[in-house]
Amino acid sequence: MSRTDYPVYLQLRDRLWDWIEAEQLSSQQRLPSERELSERFRTTRVTIRQALSQLEAEGLIFRSNRRGWYITPERLRYDPSRDLGFNRYVIEQGFSPRTETLFKTLTETPVWLSEISGLEVGTPIYHVFRRRYVDERGLLVEHNYINPAHCPGLLSESTDLSIWQMLRDKYNLCPEHRDIEIYPLALKGLEAESLHVNQGTAGLYIQRLSFDQRGNFLELDREYWLHDALKISVRIGERPS
């Protein structure tokens, strides 16, 4: 099938991406407005929006609400076999991290958390909800559910930095065992709203369930990432020198 057999918006998608590459637009650089692009490519706003949405679905550009379209930065590499915090692996890759706590509270363990943590339903549990940025782009939101039994007063501490660093340094708590799940999902509800994306936008879910040396539940981390933000990279064994 030749390009001319494609739907018009897909033909425009190719022309638009060719133009972006020719212009050498860099990471997070803003594209011209939809009106300017429709005039440049002599097409309708509807068709240009379809072409832009296709590039967005491919992870090549992203939309910022009320601000326009931007070039997607290079994806972060994430190795689930390495016990590194968000700040460290972002900095290691040459980016700048930032964390914003949206709320934190002491609540009660719900049934679903009791089933995976071993805590009794109704047991006190810390719940911290944060948005995390890379180079000032919000890439994920996360729910941290933390067992307060061995870290009293945690909610009075700043949670805008590394929670695990705090648990290690202030409370001498370290995970001995961690279960990790990763799968794609649609961002909905609070998570979509907090990332300023449309309901149903494609995302990636990462869950880490952590226990201490005695097998006691420490923390559940539920992360909701934008679909274009992350790539999984795992090294197994040592490479011969």
Side-chain angles (χ1 to χ4, degrees):
M1 179 183 294
S2 67
R3 281 193 179 187
T4 56
D5 295 322
Y6 294 168
V8 172
Y9 80 93
L10 289 181
Q11 297 178 43
L12 182 57
R13 173 259 178 238
D14 292 344
R15 291 171 56 206
L16 181 55
W17 185 246
D18 288 343
W19 176 81
I20 289 172
E21 290 190 314
E23 292 293 311
Q24 298 182 332
L25 300 185
S26 58
S27 171
Q28 299 210 59
Q29 186 169 341
R30 189 176 185 275
L31 273 64
S33 69
E34 292 180 5
R35 179 185 59 79
E36 293 175 273
L37 289 172
S38 63
E39 292 174 355
R40 179 185 295 273
F41 290 95
R42 298 182 180 180
T43 188
T44 66
R45 291 276 294 274
V46 171
T47 305
I48 201 72
R49 193 171 295 124
Q50 288 178 311
L52 290 166
S53 296
Q54 178 62 34
L55 290 173
E56 180 186 32
E58 296 172 27
L60 298 173
I61 63 175
F62 70 92
R63 175 169 35 193
S64 178
N65 282 1
R66 297 181 296 279
R67 293 177 56 209
W69 295 90
Y70 295 80
I71 302 299
T72 302
E74 180 183 354
R75 292 174 184 260
L76 280 173
R77 296 187 308 276
Y78 170 62
D79 183 348
S81 69
R82 299 181 68 198
D83 189 16
L84 292 181
F86 173 81
N87 290 336
R88 182 174 170 186
Y89 72 72
V90 170
I91 291 170
E92 279 188 356
Q93 295 175 57
F95 301 107
S96 176
R98 181 168 72 87
T99 300
E100 176 187 11
T101 300
L102 301 179
F103 69 74
K104 53 185 176 180
T105 188
L106 180 66
T107 185
E108 296 182 350
T109 300
V111 173
W112 65 264
L113 181 55
S114 171
E115 291 173 349
I116 61 175
S117 68
L119 296 177
E120 293 288 335
V121 173
T123 300
I125 192 81
Y126 292 139
H127 180 194
V128 181
F129 183 56
R130 307 189 293 174
R131 180 165 49 222
R132 314 199 81 166
Y133 299 79
V134 174
D135 289 349
E136 289 307 310
R137 181 190 178 203
L139 294 188
L140 75 143
V141 291
E142 65 175 349
H143 296 269
N144 299 98
Y145 297 89
I146 306 161
N147 187 348
H150 302 296
C151 50
L154 181 142
L155 293 186
S156 65
E157 305 287 338
S158 172
T159 49
D160 286 345
L161 298 173
S162 170
I163 288 178
W164 272 113
Q165 187 76 37
M166 184 202 314
L167 292 175
R168 282 193 294 266
D169 295 347
K170 185 175 178 63
Y171 299 102
N172 196 31
L173 295 173
C174 293
E176 178 71 18
H177 173 77
R178 183 175 290 174
D179 296 327
I180 300 176
E181 295 182 3
I182 304 173
Y183 54 83
L185 51 56
L187 297 169
K188 297 181 292 185
L190 176 63
E191 291 74 34
E193 292 174 9
S194 301
L195 286 169
H196 308 300
V197 297
N198 294 330
Q199 299 289 326
T201 295
L204 183 71
Y205 176 74
I206 301 179
Q207 174 178 293
R208 302 180 191 85
L209 179 64
S210 301
F211 298 85
D212 66 14
Q213 300 92 325
R214 297 175 296 278
N216 297 318
F217 168 73
L218 279 181
E219 188 235 13
L220 174 68
D221 180 12
R222 307 176 83 185
E223 297 181 351
Y224 297 81
W225 289 77
L226 298 178
H227 77 100
D228 59 9
L230 202 65
K231 60 182 176 184
I232 309 302
S233 175
V234 180
R235 174 175 292 179
I236 300 175
E238 293 296 324
R239 183 181 300 170
S241 57

